[in-house]
Amino acid sequence: EVELVESGGGLVQPGGSLRLSCAASGFTVSSYYMNWVRQPPGEGLEWVSIIYSGGDTYYADSVRGRFTISRDNSKNTLYLQMNNLRAEDTAVYYCAKESYYGSGIYGMDVWGQGTTVTVSS
Amino acid sequence: ERVLTQSPATLSVSPGGRATLSCRASQSVSSNLAWYQHKPGQAPRLLIYGASNRATGISDRFSGSGSGTEFTLTISSLQSEDFAVYYCQLHNNWPVFGQGTKLEIK
């Protein structure tokens, strides 16, 4: 069964750090584009970061320079290192596998259940 | 930077009715558009990819159409489990989401 399970969320003070993990089963993380997507309280989905199968990474402007996406192929796990956290980073964080359907068409077809990050003093 | 604008923000439809949700791109995205359903406390679910292709296991009550800059998600014979928030999304170097349409019971 194809599955993603996030962990690592919690309460952290402004300026603090957290590392989120996303353990995959049923497929190989390094063979797909993998994303982090978040949903702040009362708001919509916001893309955070992507790591391509080839290793290239991209970030939303709001997190660039503070967050780092990575993967451990031996553990088949995706990570999001979050530093210098701000109140506005408070959200449910989802990891999502992105499949390529050909002709430049993509879709996030597998999602984790999410892990909650709260940044507050 | 491509931007997606969804309308309306909230749509009220009676069970058994039909819902039509719109998504407009600021620049042409060809057919590279996906739709997702998101319910509180659950993971988002891919409904449509490539503007009009239903994802695995998705009911044929869900249909997508459009290309270029104008896209539509139509949900027919609305059932109680369909009331949720719907997002459109494109991938252009990286993903971009619309702001969502909340489909509520009338």
Side-chain angles (χ1 to χ4, degrees):
Chain A
E1 181 185 3
V2 176
E3 189 178 26
L4 292 169
V5 178
E6 301 99 337
S7 60
L11 175 64
V12 62
Q13 292 186 341
S17 298
L18 275 179
R19 188 178 81 157
L20 305 183
S21 299
C22 171
S25 56
F27 72 99
T28 302
V29 163
S30 60
S31 297
Y32 291 89
Y33 299 172
M34 296 296 298
N35 292 274
W36 287 99
V37 177
R38 68 185 182 185
Q39 183 179 33
E43 299 183 26
L45 298 177
E46 178 189 12
W47 172 76
V48 174
S49 182
I50 187 170
I51 183 166
Y52 285 127
S53 49
D56 287 349
T57 60
Y58 292 89
Y59 300 90
D61 289 345
S62 58
V63 307
R64 188 176 299 115
R66 300 186 298 122
F67 290 12
T68 303
I69 190 171
S70 64
R71 66 190 181 211
D72 184 330
N73 296 342
S74 67
K75 296 182 178 179
N76 208 30
T77 297
L78 177 73
Y79 299 100
L80 185 68
Q81 176 67 43
M82 304 186 296
N83 297 331
N84 191 20
L85 282 160
R86 306 166 180 169
E88 54 265 36
D89 296 318
T90 295
V92 176
Y93 284 74
Y94 299 96
C95 58
K97 164 183 168 285
E98 191 164 6
S99 285
Y100 180 60
Y101 297 96
S103 302
I105 293 172
Y106 301 83
M108 298 185 195
D109 58 345
V110 181
W111 294 69
Q113 285 299 310
T115 187
T116 300
V117 172
T118 303
V119 184
S120 175
S121 55
Chain B
E1 178 183 337
R2 287 178 170 83
V3 174
L4 295 175
T5 302
Q6 293 186 239
S7 61
T10 304
L11 181 62
S12 300
V13 183
S14 300
R18 172 187 293 246
T20 301
L21 290 67
S22 296
C23 178
R24 173 177 293 179
S26 58
Q27 302 175 51
S28 177
V29 299
S30 185
S31 297
N32 184 14
L33 192 96
W35 289 94
Y36 300 83
Q37 178 191 67
H38 193 199
K39 299 178 182 179
Q42 297 186 20
R45 180 172 67 148
L46 176 65
L47 300 174
I48 301 288
Y49 64 89
S52 60
N53 303 283
R54 275 186 296 275
T56 302
I58 300 303
S59 168
D60 59 6
R61 297 186 297 102
F62 292 87
S63 63
S65 63
S67 66
T69 61
E70 299 286 342
F71 300 88
T72 300
L73 175 69
T74 302
I75 312 169
S76 60
S77 302
L78 278 165
Q79 301 180 3
S80 57
E81 62 265 30
D82 299 333
F83 293 95
V85 180
Y86 291 84
Y87 297 92
C88 57
Q89 178 249 325
L90 68 88
H91 185 114
N92 181 40
N93 293 322
W94 50 80
V96 175
F97 286 94
Q99 79 276 25
T101 290
K102 181 180 181 181
L103 177 60
E104 64 178 26
I105 300 174
K106 186 174 184 180

